[in-house]
Amino acid sequence: MKTVSTPPNPKLIPDSLSFSLNGAAQAVTMVLGGTALPQALAHVFARSEALPQARGAIQDIAYRTMRRIGRVEALIDVLTTKAPEPVLLHALLCCALALVSDPDESDGPPPYNEFTVVDQAVTAAAGSPDMAHAKGMINAVLRRFLRERTALLQQVLQDPVALLNYPAWWIAATKQAYPQNWQAILTAGNTAPPLSLRVNQRKITVEAYLAMLQAAGIGARQIGPVAVRLDQPLPVQQIPGFSDGLVSVQDAAAQLAVPLLDLHDGQRVLDACAAPGGKTGHILESANVDLLALDSDAKRLPRIEENLERLQLSAKLKSGDAGKAGWWDGRPFDRIIADVPCTASGIVRRHPDIRWLRRKADAAQLATVSALILDNLWRMLGPDGKLLYVTCSVWPQESEAQAAAFAVRNGAVRLEAPGQLLPTTSKDEDHDGLFYALFQKPSSAQ
Ligand SMILES: C[S@@+](CC[C@H](N)C(=O)[O-])C[C@H]1O[C@@H](n2cnc3c(N)ncnc32)[C@H](O)[C@@H]1O
């Protein structure tokens, strides 16, 4: 199958739905070829003349599609006699079906009239040399879906992959880990995520910031000590005070990390897996510490720098492997936060592509890497020092089982911490699935 993405077609009008469908189909094509959705979108935007509004529409369609790809691929199987080729055509059908096929509207009402979607999907195909041959097929498939929707959905939704929109192995793993509430966890992962902010206590109180939002006509509520959730997500440029560092975008569960560290002015702190710097900024907002922000990916360090510049805060930044000691000057740290690389199975509502890009063996492989990181960092922690282990996973292998094994291996004292937080989307509690374990080194330790 041909997987190359073609540049956005000049024949399509840049603010039309056909243009957005074409852009979203290109991004989805790249995801089906193994690229993460944010990188795929960045690639599409770099090659297109999409204005900000069209970029928003392309992004929205691509995310909606990834939240339903199990279902729409099952529909395509039933609605076509042979697999649509090239992959771009398959992806265009996925995007169009994603806009018309949602019976539960888990991420908001459909944004477009159904017949407009059909018409614009046909226009998108007609405007592309790779797909023009199939415009009749697209028209026929989408119109048949609209006519026979109830029966077709009833047929495909028998399959859990189409119903729940996760790979079969992911569904089985969630069921095994959470026999009571696996469905709620999977359902939460299919909702559109809220936009949650962390209020910078150095600059403004939560009350004053809420008043600022109200004055700007933006609905919001407090959902954590310094966490505010907007009623409707907004581009960051439109969030009052964002560019001045009054707030940062951060999920409410992620905001629990830094208070657990029990920071005091003057401490020597290591943020061991720091990029893009969400928790780095929170650490510096909370206390005047001597902070080293480390990440193994040197290309991600500028992201931390940008975040800190916006907050007008600073830390030492270094690229290095937290599982090795080459970058360490030998002086022990008072506090270490290890927000390790993981499957990200707890943040799938923000990254609906992850479940399709991961493989079953990834959790075990990543847990091995995290164990090396934790054991290495433990040696760098001073007596009485605290190490906070964080993952954005819901798999026990990467969370509780890992924490328990680490404590046994190292004689670490386990302190009170939230443990496994499952993703939740209630009115007052709305956060991702994160895991926290806090360890203290005995005072007699070397
Ligand atoms: C979950 S993200 C960290 C998120 C960050 N703490 C925040 O709050 O914004 C994990 C990070 O770990 C980095 N990483 C992966 N392996 C690493 C290693 N062996 N040593 C240091 N950093 C690593 C990745 O590049 C990635 O930036």
Side-chain angles (χ1 to χ4, degrees), residues 250 254 271-280 294-297 300 307 320-324 337 339-342 369 373 390 392:
Q250 191 176 45
D271 186 356
C273 300
K279 298 180 186 72
T280 318
L294 183 82
D295 202 281
S296 59
D297 186 348
R300 283 167 64 80
N307 269 321
D321 181 347
K324 298 190 175 142
I337 176 168
D339 188 4
V340 296
C342 69
V369 172
I373 291 179
V390 189
C392 52

Side-chain angles (χ1 to χ4, degrees), residues 39 55 97 106 116 145 187 190 192 194 196 209 243 250 253 258 267 299 314 341 344 366 369 381 386 389 420:
Q39 279 78 52
R55 287 180 180 211
L97 280 167
S106 54
T116 309
F145 172 75
T187 306
N190 285 335
S196 304
Y209 187 67
S243 55
Q250 191 176 45
V258 170
Q267 283 176 335
K299 290 196 292 300
S314 69
L366 284 158
V369 172
L381 189 67
K386 292 180 184 174
Y389 174 57
Q420 184 68 64

Side-chain angles (χ1 to χ4, degrees), residues 102-188:
D102 190 5
D104 49 19
E105 295 181 7
S106 54
D107 55 1
Y112 307 99
N113 170 285
E114 292 182 338
F115 292 100
T116 309
V117 174
V118 177
D119 174 67
Q120 291 292 290
V122 172
T123 306
S128 158
D130 287 338
M131 300 191 283
H133 66 281
K135 61 185 182 22
M137 183 274 277
I138 291 210
N139 189 40
V141 162
L142 294 175
R143 285 186 189 277
R144 182 176 156 211
F145 172 75
L146 295 183
R147 276 195 316 273
E148 300 173 25
R149 176 190 339 233
T150 309
L152 286 165
L153 283 172
Q154 219 165 30
Q155 182 182 347
V156 302
L157 295 183
Q158 302 296 320
D159 175 4
V161 175
L163 177 70
L164 298 163
N165 198 51
Y166 289 84
W169 69 266
W170 190 295
I171 297 170
T174 311
K175 235 183 212 178
Q176 191 186 12
Y178 303 99
Q180 305 303 325
N181 43 0
W182 62 277
Q183 274 166 310
I185 295 168
L186 295 178
T187 306

Side-chain angles (χ1 to χ4, degrees), residues 41 94 131 134 139 145 148 155 177 224 226 270 297 308 320 336 356 410 417 423 446:
L41 284 167
C94 288
M131 300 191 283
N139 189 40
F145 172 75
E148 300 173 25
Q155 182 182 347
V226 290
L270 172 68
D297 186 348
L308 295 186
I336 297 178
W356 305 104
N410 293 286
Q446 293 300 304

Side-chain angles (χ1 to χ4, degrees), residues 259-278:
L260 286 166
L261 282 172
D262 173 33
L263 295 172
H264 299 284
D265 288 355
Q267 283 176 335
R268 203 171 130 73
V269 180
L270 172 68
D271 186 356
C273 300

